[in-house]
Amino acid sequence: MKDYDKSTAFLGQWGRFQQIVFFLLCASIVPNGSGVFSVVFLTDIPRHHCLIPEENLTQDWCDLIIPIEVVNGKQEQSSCSRYRLDVVRNLSAQGFIPGRDVNLTDLEQEGCLDGWSYSKDIYQSTIVSEFDLVCSDQWKQPFTSTACFLGILVGSFISGQLSDRFGRKPVFFTTMAVQTIFSFCQAFSPSWTVFIILIFFNGLGQISNYVSGFVLGTEILTGDVRVIFSSMGVCLGFTIGYMILPLIAFFLRDWKSLLLAISLPGMLYIPLWWFIPESPRWLLSQGRVEEAEAIVRKAAKTNRVEAPTVIFKDYSAHDDDMHPQEHLNVISLVKTQRARSTTVILCLVWFSLSIGYFGLSLNTSRLHANPYISCFLSAAVEVPAYICSWLALKYFPRRLSVIFTLLLGGVSLYLIQLVPETLSELAVALEMLGKLVITNGTSLMYAYTAELYPTVLRNTAEGVCITVSRIGSCLAPFLLQLREYFEYLPYIILGTLAVVSAFATLFLPESFGKPLPQTIQQMQKRESMKCPCITRKEHLKPVVHLESRL
């Protein structure tokens, strides 16, 4: 059996069976969008200052016992210090008035020995207020998000191997259960240490569920429906979950309630076991022809079409097409000069896009006075981003599209620091523009990367690039902490990475309208640093590979 699509062509592309699989798998991605970005609200830092225990202090001293500091040109109450309580108590008892009888700058300060008082203007509680992740422990706040992304990094490694060995469907539902259970258990974490362990496994389950669901859909669906599912369906499913998140968080402002609300709906997906089949392609690869035929015959019955007597003729699990003679590994990506330069440049671009995407997404709580509106806007801009990427893949050269995207994103982030404080809406608009084009660029890179490498190296190259991008997502939470030194430093770094990556992309070959390379030798013959007029061939379609927002 050489062509699965031809063998199952009698099913059609958009029958009732395909519609059920398409919409159920897209719906299964929704919790991933809510789950991965729940850290925006779970780890947000409320306004806080040192807790002042009930003391017999005059009102003047109660109002001024917290020192005033200048932060980004603004005067604010200190978050991590207070005037020594024993000294203030004595001065208050003697009737001294601060600022008149006592120069406050001469008083000795101390840390928050009695804990902190947190504002409840926006949140009832977050894990920051629950576990006091401030001041000397403030590093734990960004590390919480990093722990989730580390889980996603590990999940990226193992999810493909698990689904290849045990099947798409068992891994899909098992990892969905892992995601639901660990997200539920997070709400009952007795300490920060327990919380980050649970969020690590939660992240591992999220990406594994995403990957197995994606692969299951691309293997069951065929033709144009598969392209739409790969490039739009799963992405919009993720975005819908992302857009729902701020609505849930708005009504549930306690971190435990929020976790329960985004985890319990996972129970609703249990009945999907009886509606989503195993991948017939995977069953065939394991030599389980009868099971594969049974699934296809059931699909034919659902679509009300008649199946042939024998669906998969002359099938062998060891076809040469499935086991190419040339076996290459990661080292092959850097053996030749062309492969080496292409791999280095792609890794730079992937890293820049990933740290930009997650940096801007995690920054939404600080964009606007209302973090819920900011988060919704950040999610909503992804919808036009995916539409733009689909149009760009269909009509425009890859290299030109990526360069334009990176330059536009870099310039928009650079311009934020030039916006006056009175025009805060313009600054938000520029950041949303940066988020839109970076999301668009990430979508483009999946197809572009796949089209640059030969068949024998394509999956390996995609895996390496995605791994490098995961490193960027792990660093994104700490990048945002650089605003403590200079408010616009994260934007400058992200903008610089985008512009440098744009110029590096000039050295990549163009792949639009060209047949996919099958060997290293064909990859070597591709030209770079030239922009020839390319005529689009109608029978050539863009390659769409796994696009993970996680």
Side-chain angles (χ1 to χ4, degrees):
M1 192 276 294
K2 299 297 183 182
D3 194 330
Y4 173 89
D5 289 353
K6 289 183 178 179
S7 299
T8 59
F10 66 91
L11 289 175
Q13 292 189 11
W14 192 237
R16 186 179 178 188
F17 170 76
Q18 288 92 342
Q19 293 169 8
I20 292 173
V21 171
F22 184 99
F23 289 112
L24 289 183
L25 286 177
C26 289
S28 74
I29 304 296
V30 172
N32 291 326
S34 300
V36 71
F37 287 119
S38 62
V39 293
V40 171
F41 300 105
L42 296 175
T43 65
D44 201 10
I45 305 175
R47 290 188 296 107
H48 58 279
H49 59 74
C50 291
L51 178 65
I52 308 300
E54 293 186 6
E55 297 283 349
N56 189 20
L57 301 177
T58 64
Q59 188 61 45
D60 289 335
W61 282 106
C62 287
D63 294 339
L64 296 174
I65 192 171
I66 304 298
I68 301 298
E69 297 177 345
V70 178
V71 179
N72 294 324
K74 301 177 182 178
Q75 288 190 340
E76 299 178 358
Q77 283 189 323
S78 174
S79 300
C80 300
S81 63
R82 69 185 183 189
Y83 294 118
R84 281 188 53 178
L85 187 58
D86 56 341
V87 173
V88 170
R89 187 186 302 114
N90 291 333
L91 293 172
S92 177
Q94 296 176 35
F96 290 106
I97 298 177
R100 190 190 71 178
D101 303 322
V102 179
N103 188 353
L104 294 176
T105 57
D106 295 334
L107 295 182
E108 186 178 351
Q109 298 182 14
E110 62 183 4
C112 300
L113 304 180
D114 300 297
W116 290 264
S117 175
Y118 295 93
S119 169
K120 294 187 177 182
D121 293 343
I122 299 177
Y123 308 104
Q124 288 298 311
S125 67
T126 67
I127 66 165
V128 173
S129 60
E130 183 77 16
F131 303 122
D132 290 331
L133 309 183
V134 292
C135 300
S136 60
D137 284 336
Q138 187 171 349
W139 64 272
K140 295 180 179 179
Q141 186 262 350
F143 187 78
T144 303
S145 300
T146 297
C148 179
F149 294 133
L150 286 173
I152 292 174
L153 174 62
V154 174
S156 300
F157 276 116
I158 67 174
S159 58
Q161 300 175 48
L162 289 174
S163 62
D164 284 344
R165 175 158 188 182
F166 299 105
R168 317 307 192 206
K169 182 177 177 179
V171 173
F172 174 71
F173 283 96
T174 300
T175 53
M176 183 181 290
V178 169
Q179 174 183 344
T180 301
I181 292 171
F182 280 94
S183 181
F184 179 81
C185 292
Q186 282 178 249
F188 304 97
S189 301
S191 66
W192 175 76
T193 303
V194 173
F195 186 90
I196 63 166
I197 293 173
L198 293 175
I199 203 173
F200 171 86
F201 286 103
N202 185 10
L204 187 150
Q206 285 184 26
I207 185 63
S208 300
N209 167 252
Y210 186 102
V211 170
S212 55
F214 179 94
V215 173
L216 187 58
T218 54
E219 291 183 347
I220 292 177
L221 302 171
T222 59
D224 293 337
V225 176
R226 178 168 57 205
V227 173
I228 294 174
F229 173 83
S230 303
S231 60
M232 296 282 287
V234 290
C235 298
L236 292 179
F238 183 90
T239 301
I240 289 172
Y242 189 4
M243 294 170 68
I244 292 174
L245 173 65
L247 178 65
I248 300 174
F250 178 80
F251 290 104
L252 301 175
R253 305 199 177 196
D254 172 74
W255 69 276
K256 294 184 178 181
S257 301
L258 177 60
L259 278 172
L260 292 176
I262 62 178
S263 62
L264 290 178
M267 303 293 291
L268 300 176
Y269 292 97
I270 294 176
L272 267 60
W273 177 270
W274 289 275
F275 292 94
I276 298 178
E278 178 57 274
S279 165
R281 292 177 190 265
W282 180 81
L283 291 171
L284 291 172
S285 72
Q286 304 299 306
R288 296 157 63 175
V289 182
E290 292 182 0
E291 295 178 56
E293 285 206 359
I295 291 174
V296 175
R297 291 187 186 281
K298 186 176 180 180
K301 185 177 180 180
T302 303
N303 286 358
R304 298 180 180 179
V305 297
E306 185 176 350
T309 306
V310 179
I311 298 175
F312 302 113
K313 298 179 181 179
D314 304 324
Y315 174 78
S316 171
H318 302 285
D319 280 343
D320 292 339
D321 290 346
M322 299 180 62
H323 299 276
Q325 296 180 352
E326 188 178 6
H327 295 282
L328 304 176
N329 53 33
V330 176
I331 303 300
S332 303
L333 295 175
V334 294
K335 271 188 176 181
T336 64
Q337 189 275 333
R338 171 55 58 81
R340 183 164 52 249
S341 61
T342 299
T343 302
V344 170
I345 293 172
L346 287 176
C347 285
L348 171 63
V349 175
W350 276 90
F351 178 86
S352 302
L353 289 171
S354 180
I355 196 172
Y357 175 81
F358 284 99
L360 295 177
S361 298
L362 296 176
N363 190 51
T364 53
S365 61
R366 298 175 175 85
L367 271 183
H368 189 271
N370 190 323
Y372 306 103
I373 293 177
S374 298
C375 184
F376 178 81
L377 291 175
S378 180
V381 298
E382 295 195 5
V383 176
Y386 294 133
I387 295 174
C388 290
S389 67
W390 177 72
L391 292 173
L393 286 172
K394 192 171 184 180
Y395 296 110
F396 298 102
R398 308 288 185 255
R399 183 169 56 190
L400 178 62
S401 299
V402 172
I403 291 173
F404 176 77
T405 295
L406 289 168
L407 287 177
L408 181 58
V411 171
S412 64
L413 294 177
Y414 275 139
L415 292 177
I416 291 176
Q417 60 185 312
L418 304 179
V419 177
E421 293 185 6
T422 55
L423 297 176
S424 59
E425 293 81 3
L426 178 58
V428 173
L430 287 172
E431 182 157 344
M432 288 300 100
L433 175 61
K435 172 72 183 298
L436 186 151
V437 295
I438 286 176
T439 302
N440 175 54
T442 303
S443 180
L444 292 173
M445 286 305 297
Y446 281 94
Y448 193 18
T449 301
E451 292 171 353
L452 290 178
Y453 287 94
T455 303
V456 291
L457 273 179
R458 190 167 294 124
N459 284 340
T460 301
E462 289 263 12
V464 169
C465 290
I466 291 174
T467 299
V468 172
S469 75
R470 297 285 174 258
I471 297 174
S473 65
C474 291
L475 295 176
F478 288 98
L479 173 72
L480 298 179
Q481 298 300 306
L482 296 178
R483 69 164 62 87
E484 299 294 332
Y485 303 99
F486 178 55
E487 183 177 3
Y488 300 107
L489 186 55
Y491 297 118
I492 294 174
I493 293 175
L494 293 178
T496 301
L497 284 172
V499 172
V500 171
S501 298
F503 282 105
T505 305
L506 285 170
F507 295 90
L508 291 175
E510 182 54 74
S511 63
F512 179 68
K514 296 181 179 180
L516 296 178
Q518 300 298 320
T519 65
I520 293 288
Q521 290 71 27
Q522 292 177 1
M523 179 184 178
Q524 290 290 105
K525 294 178 181 178
R526 287 212 166 162
E527 297 180 356
S528 59
M529 285 299 293
K530 293 183 180 180
C531 300
C533 182
I534 301 172
T535 302
R536 173 72 173 169
K537 296 182 180 180
E538 290 299 321
H539 68 279
L540 293 175
K541 295 183 179 180
V543 174
V544 182
H545 280 243
L546 170 62
E547 179 166 347
S548 171
R549 296 268 60 86
L550 294 178

